Amino acid sequence: MMYTMLCHPPGPSKVPLAILALIAVMTNVVRAEDESMGPVFVKEPPNRVDFSNGTGAEVECQARGNPQPDIIWVRADGTAVGDVPGLRQVLPNGNLVFPPFRAEDYRQEVHAQVYSCLATSPAGSVHSRDVNVRAVVQQIYESRVIDEFVLSGNTATLKCLIPSFVADFVDAIEWIADDGTSYTIDDLEEKDGKYLVLPSGELHIRDVGPEDGYKTYQCRTKHRLTGETRLSATKGRLVITEPVASARPKFPMTDTSRTYTIRHSRTQTLFCPAQAYPIPAFRWYKFLNGTTRRQPVQLNDRIRQVSGTLIIREARVEDSGKYLCIVNNSVGGESVETVLTVTAPLGAEIEPRTQTVDFGRPATFTCNVRGNPIKTVSWMKDGKPLGHEELVLRIDSVKKEDKGMYQCFVRNDQESAQATAELKLGGRFEPPQIKQAFTEETLQPGPSMFLKCVASGNPTPEITWELDGKRLSNTERLQVGQYVKVNGDVVSHLNISSIHTNDGGLYKCIAGSKVGAAEHSARLNVYGLPFIRHMDKKAIVAGETLRVTCPVAGYPIESTVWERDNRVLPINRKQKVFPNGTLIIENVERQSDQATYTCVARNAQGYSARGTLEVQVMVAPQIVPFVMGDEPANWGDAVTATCTVFKGDFPIHIEWSLNGELIRNNYPDIVISTSSKRVSVLTIDQVTARHAGEYSCSASNAAGGTSYTVSLIVNGTYTENRTYTLSVNSEISNVIYEITNLIIKKT
Ligand SMILES: *[C@@H]1O[C@H](CO)[C@@H](O)[C@H](O)[C@H]1NC(C)=O
Ligand SMILES: *[C@@H]1O[C@H](CO)[C@@H](O)[C@H](O)[C@H]1NC(C)=O
Ligand SMILES: *[C@@H]1O[C@H](CO)[C@@H](O)[C@H](O)[C@H]1NC(C)=O
Ligand SMILES: *[C@@H]1O[C@H](CO)[C@@H](O)[C@H](O)[C@H]1NC(C)=O
Ligand SMILES: *[C@@H]1O[C@H](CO)[C@@H](O)[C@H](O)[C@H]1NC(C)=O
Ligand SMILES: *[C@@H]1O[C@H](CO)[C@@H](O)[C@H](O)[C@H]1NC(C)=O
Ligand SMILES: *[C@@H]1O[C@H](CO)[C@@H](O)[C@H](O)[C@H]1NC(C)=O
């Protein structure tokens, strides 16, 4: 080594080799990463699959990736779906098949279920949107038309009554009068200026006269899944009454729902079925978004009004809102409100679709969503919920386990949509890895020995050593040394000269860098009598788990036990004691667990050693919930808030902030006083608008911190904004000074 250094200038002889080695490692990693690709759906199943028992259904799901992902189907709770002979089958190509089945074979958990397709490969996993599967057993049904009462001159709507058990799949498509005339849903204009089949299936007849009372009508329905059509079992007619006196507009008692949710681009009918004499006028209004102001509905090709009925074709999200129909005649008026929600298909996209991020660097995914309404947003990673509900997902420092597939889901009551993105690890950094390490050994005291660990990683890790959980540093007999090999590996030795019995214990080497850590441990046994090394006092926060291992040396040891007040543990269910000398106490409490514990190690000859451990339980602060006036404060009121810390070890530090900003001298009119070490009182003598906001009291001590926030609402922000004119008479001329925008705030 010295020779090489003398012959060449320092540095270059070693460095190029190291760099070459590094480059070799980097290119390997990068190439391997680039080839793999997490699963992405090529064919994602739809939100709804409705089918009839006579036809069955096949739901497609296809994904690609490198390696090619496997496809399975799962239920909403994540459990895998298996084959059910004759009723459900997952094909090798990933499709989910529901064969035609007999009515008696209907099974709720197969035929009315929410499924999701899950594509998995070593590069990650992704879930499809929720697939609501619904099988319908063909059932005999009949629809009916009943007579409708109408005042002569008004508009009548004849309804095709469809039993509710098939109503989701059966639509009225045609009306047939007894003279053979047919009116179909495809006629966009009224026939004879009078008849129109509404998109919702009713037959709309305007200007009803006495002659209309002689016809009867039947409706024809069509089953959407089977295509089967059927005539109504009964015929209905109009029962016409000639008005004898004026009548103010009245809505029928059987008036139905006034809240509709429809899919974008569908057609919706808004009814206003009032009858009156004289014939009333109908006017439709729409309320301006969230206000009580309204505007007449603009009629055009798309939005038509046929007598009192409003027909909206190719509905748009902007058509959503609250509508008002006002019906008037000379004797009175009546009105009715209808709420329409137009949904737009949900969609999502994540930006960026893939990103390659180095260890320790931040990563951000942004979910762009569309559609209406959006009820929830959630994230998954490799098919597991992340519990994150915002549109932006940020990882501050990427770790190895962050690699994989990320998904953002948007949902509402009707449907869901998802987007996928992949996070790949950059090749530039590598978390530490232990490549070579020591094994358990049993020795006689006397000789010198060493333990060795070799680790790799980029950046180069640092290796540290521990004995029974306590960090080791150089002493007279103990030397730690570390060097980096040409290939970049770090070699660390722990050298112990003339080993003693008391050197026995669990040795650990830890390789750490800013991108991670790796560790290895093994016991070193040295023959001799039992010995227990000193244990430092242990402070632990209440509620946490205490975990200690008795630092025993000496070999062989027959038993290691823990005691408290001369009783062998465990003495309650929170305590767990293991033969290897580990004591675990869950959910520590000061009252029951703060104590001195003794660990006793014995050998077969009856020699023993004892060591004591003092456990101190620290209590983190807790604040009593408080208010800042139950009601909004008025200008000039005095307001106080008292923050009481009812639990927690001293010293406790209490401070206040307003809207996240610490209150110090920045608010001269907010006074904070301390009446005891546990109580802090905030006082504002005269409240003004600028005092409104969120007040937080934060309490902290060595064991932790907590805060409690309340809001102060200041009633009626009173601001005067006037222009004052000030005239000054001078001997030369009248000079007018104008003060503009003098703002007077009432305080
Ligand atoms: C579906 O159900 C109907 C009514 O129960 C039955 O008549 C029909 O045969 C069934 N279809 C098949 C394929 O079994
Ligand atoms: C209506 O109000 C909602 C929220 O209240 C808002 O997101 C939307 O942009 C508003 N629409 C219009 C046309 O003002
Ligand atoms: C029309 O009816 C509305 C709703 O009842 C009523 O407020 C309004 O006064 C009526 N207008 C006329 C001109 O009768
Ligand atoms: C520790 O021992 C090893 C092996 O004998 C030796 O290579 C190394 O230089 C020693 N390290 C120290 C710090 O003494
Ligand atoms: C001792 O054994 C328990 C139970 O097997 C284990 O949880 C614990 O980590 C062990 N302790 C040590 C220091 O190996
Ligand atoms: C808020 O101020 C208004 C007008 O000054 C007053 O009518 C109202 O009662 C006040 N509310 C409260 C809670 O004091
Ligand atoms: C006061 O009124 C003036 C003129 O009307 C306007 O420009 C200014 O923004 C107002 N200031 C405030 C605080 O309302």
Side-chain angles (χ1 to χ4, degrees):
M1 178 75 79
M2 286 305 280
Y3 178 76
T4 322
M5 295 286 271
L6 283 175
C7 287
H8 301 276
S13 69
K14 265 171 92 178
V15 173
L17 261 177
I19 288 178
L20 276 181
L22 257 182
I23 290 172
V25 169
M26 272 169 56
T27 45
N28 272 340
V29 171
V30 170
R31 203 179 306 123
E33 282 293 331
D34 274 356
E35 280 170 4
S36 92
M37 192 191 96
V40 178
F41 288 109
V42 182
K43 262 201 196 127
E44 196 187 347
N47 270 301
R48 291 205 160 277
V49 176
D50 291 336
F51 64 94
S52 127
N53 75 309
T55 59
E58 180 160 349
V59 192
E60 284 187 304
C61 182
Q62 279 177 28
R64 67 186 160 84
N66 184 13
Q68 179 63 33
D70 290 329
I71 288 186
I72 64 164
W73 286 82
V74 295
R75 299 180 189 85
D77 64 5
T79 55
V81 162
D83 287 357
V84 178
L87 297 185
R88 181 177 66 202
Q89 196 188 350
V90 181
L91 297 186
N93 68 3
N95 291 358
L96 181 65
V97 175
F98 298 94
F101 61 93
R102 290 176 310 170
E104 56 268 37
D105 293 332
Y106 178 89
R107 276 173 59 184
Q108 175 90 11
E109 72 275 17
V110 171
H111 293 127
Q113 176 73 263
V114 182
Y115 294 95
S116 167
C117 164
L118 176 65
T120 302
S121 82
S125 302
V126 291
H127 267 284
S128 73
R129 61 164 75 94
D130 307 333
V131 186
N132 292 274
V133 167
R134 197 160 45 148
V136 179
V137 173
Q138 283 177 51
Q139 249 172 309
I140 305 293
Y141 75 93
E142 50 178 45
S143 57
R144 285 174 176 267
V145 180
I146 56 169
D147 294 351
E148 198 69 33
F149 297 91
V150 57
L151 270 181
S152 183
N154 282 271
T155 297
T157 34
L158 275 173
K159 294 181 190 68
C160 186
L161 302 175
I162 298 166
S164 58
F165 66 87
V166 288
D168 281 355
F169 304 102
V170 172
D171 303 310
I173 53 158
E174 186 187 11
W175 286 83
I176 301 137
D178 51 5
D179 61 6
T181 326
S182 148
Y183 309 98
T184 75
I185 201 156
D186 304 322
D187 301 330
L188 296 181
E189 292 301 322
E190 292 143 277
K191 266 198 182 160
D192 312 325
K194 213 175 158 87
Y195 300 95
L196 181 66
V197 181
L198 295 175
S200 40
E202 294 84 355
L203 180 64
H204 194 262
I205 308 170
R206 62 197 285 185
D207 302 333
V208 169
E211 67 288 358
D212 291 311
Y214 302 111
K215 280 190 197 165
T216 58
Y217 302 88
Q218 250 180 313
C219 63
R220 188 189 300 281
T221 55
K222 183 174 180 181
H223 197 292
R224 240 180 296 146
L225 301 179
T226 62
E228 176 212 34
T229 64
R230 210 173 257 276
L231 261 186
S232 60
T234 59
K235 298 177 179 184
R237 66 177 192 97
L238 299 182
V239 181
I240 296 152
T241 311
E242 282 302 325
V244 288
S246 296
R248 53 189 295 272
K250 260 201 193 138
F251 288 100
M253 302 289 280
T254 56
D255 212 8
T256 50
S257 161
R258 299 249 163 247
T259 305
Y260 302 101
T261 300
I262 58 158
R263 284 186 72 100
H264 134 107
S265 79
R266 295 280 169 82
T267 300
Q268 181 65 42
T269 315
L270 306 187
F271 291 106
C272 190
Q275 300 196 8
Y277 184 77
I279 308 304
F282 295 86
R283 277 160 300 156
W284 279 93
Y285 296 88
K286 185 168 183 246
F287 286 97
L288 293 175
N289 204 6
T291 68
T292 51
R293 288 196 301 135
R294 55 179 201 238
Q295 273 182 344
V297 171
Q298 295 297 313
L299 300 176
N300 50 37
D301 283 355
R302 201 171 63 80
I303 304 183
R304 287 204 300 151
Q305 184 177 338
V306 179
S307 68
T309 306
L310 193 68
I311 303 172
I312 302 175
R313 284 179 205 282
E314 291 161 21
R316 302 171 181 165
V317 172
E318 310 84 91
D319 294 328
S320 301
K322 190 155 80 175
Y323 288 80
L324 179 74
C325 171
I326 298 185
V327 199
N328 287 95
N329 69 4
S330 51
V331 287
E334 190 67 81
S335 67
V336 65
E337 279 181 4
T338 304
V339 175
L340 178 66
T341 305
V342 181
T343 67
L346 297 182
E349 243 153 57
I350 300 182
E351 241 178 281
R353 293 274 275 276
T354 51
Q355 55 185 314
T356 303
V357 182
D358 290 331
F359 288 98
R361 307 286 307 165
T364 303
F365 285 113
T366 305
C367 182
N368 297 316
V369 298
R370 49 178 193 277
N372 185 58
I374 289 171
K375 260 198 143 164
T376 63
V377 173
S378 58
W379 288 82
M380 279 189 150
K381 166 161 191 289
D382 288 327
K384 303 248 162 16
L386 286 177
H388 182 75
E389 297 180 350
E390 269 133 60
L391 289 172
V392 177
L393 176 71
R394 196 185 141 83
I395 302 166
D396 288 332
S397 164
V398 165
K399 291 198 256 337
K400 196 170 178 183
E401 56 271 25
D402 293 326
K403 168 183 175 342
M405 298 303 292
Y406 288 79
Q407 284 185 287
C408 140
F409 280 81
V410 270
R411 288 193 167 84
N412 62 27
D413 293 339
Q414 274 76 42
E415 56 174 337
S416 61
Q418 59 82 32
T420 61
E422 182 166 14
L423 177 67
K424 293 182 171 191
L425 294 181
R428 202 144 67 80
F429 293 125
E430 251 185 285
Q433 212 182 339
I434 294 194
K435 296 176 80 175
Q436 198 189 322
F438 54 96
T439 53
E440 174 161 347
E441 257 186 282
T442 302
L443 309 168
Q444 291 291 347
S448 295
M449 61 95 57
F450 69 92
L451 302 175
K452 182 177 163 191
C453 272
V454 181
S456 64
N458 187 3
T460 305
E462 188 76 28
I463 297 182
T464 54
W465 292 84
E466 284 181 2
L467 168 56
D468 285 330
K470 211 184 255 183
R471 174 86 182 260
L472 291 175
S473 46
N474 288 350
T475 63
E476 209 179 302
R477 283 194 311 113
L478 207 128
Q479 294 287 316
V480 176
Q482 163 174 327
Y483 64 92
V484 180
K485 291 209 286 192
V486 172
N487 67 2
D489 288 356
V490 189
V491 181
S492 179
H493 284 98
L494 171 71
N495 297 6
I496 309 170
S497 54
S498 61
I499 195 153
H500 295 180
T501 298
N502 302 358
D503 292 328
L506 184 71
Y507 282 83
K508 186 189 278 180
C509 69
I510 303 156
S513 76
K514 66 171 184 181
V515 299
E519 58 177 51
H520 167 81
S521 57
R523 275 198 76 84
L524 180 62
N525 303 312
V526 186
Y527 284 99
L529 294 178
F531 176 79
I532 294 176
R533 267 187 296 280
H534 172 76
M535 286 178 272
D536 291 333
K537 176 172 171 177
K538 193 143 182 140
I540 180 161
V541 175
E544 292 185 350
T545 298
L546 172 80
R547 224 177 269 274
V548 278
T549 299
C550 184
V552 187
Y555 188 83
I557 299 292
E558 199 180 52
S559 75
T560 307
V561 297
W562 282 91
E563 293 176 356
R564 178 177 157 182
D565 305 329
N566 296 322
R567 290 175 65 192
V568 174
L569 305 190
I571 51 178
N572 61 36
R573 274 195 291 155
K574 297 199 308 178
Q575 299 167 343
K576 289 201 182 73
V577 183
F578 297 99
N580 62 7
T582 297
L583 166 69
I584 295 176
I585 304 179
E586 283 164 356
N587 185 22
V588 295
E589 289 160 291
R590 172 173 290 167
Q591 220 175 350
S592 57
D593 303 317
Q594 178 162 302
T596 299
Y597 294 82
T598 305
C599 138
V600 186
R602 278 195 186 81
N603 69 9
Q605 288 72 45
Y607 289 98
S608 68
R610 304 171 76 81
T612 58
L613 170 71
E614 201 182 317
V615 173
Q616 184 200 353
V617 179
M618 299 189 299
V619 178
Q622 286 184 45
I623 296 174
V624 185
F626 61 89
V627 293
M628 215 162 168
D630 297 332
E631 299 179 337
N634 284 312
W635 282 66
D637 284 358
V639 173
T640 73
T642 304
C643 179
T644 307
V645 181
F646 71 105
K647 260 191 190 166
D649 292 337
F650 295 120
I652 297 173
H653 180 64
I654 306 179
E655 59 190 19
W656 289 87
S657 56
L658 169 53
N659 295 327
E661 193 193 340
L662 204 57
I663 301 176
R664 287 218 182 92
N665 309 331
N666 43 357
Y667 288 94
D669 46 355
I670 301 183
V671 179
I672 293 169
S673 59
T674 312
S675 52
S676 90
K677 284 194 280 180
R678 292 191 176 280
V679 180
S680 175
V681 180
L682 179 144
T683 310
I684 306 169
D685 276 338
Q686 289 195 316
V687 163
T688 69
R690 67 187 202 103
H691 293 124
E694 305 271 299
Y695 286 79
S696 298
C697 169
S698 309
S700 57
N701 67 7
T706 183
S707 71
Y708 190 81
T709 303
V710 292
S711 19
L712 175 66
I713 299 165
V714 179
N715 189 13
T717 309
Y718 175 93
T719 309
E720 229 178 60
N721 187 1
R722 281 196 209 145
T723 304
Y724 287 84
T725 307
L726 168 71
S727 305
V728 178
N729 267 332
S730 94
E731 274 165 22
I732 310 157
S733 66
N734 278 352
V735 184
I736 296 175
Y737 294 90
E738 200 176 57
I739 307 171
T740 54
N741 305 338
L742 173 70
I743 298 170
I744 298 178
K745 278 191 174 170
K746 191 172 138 193
T747 54

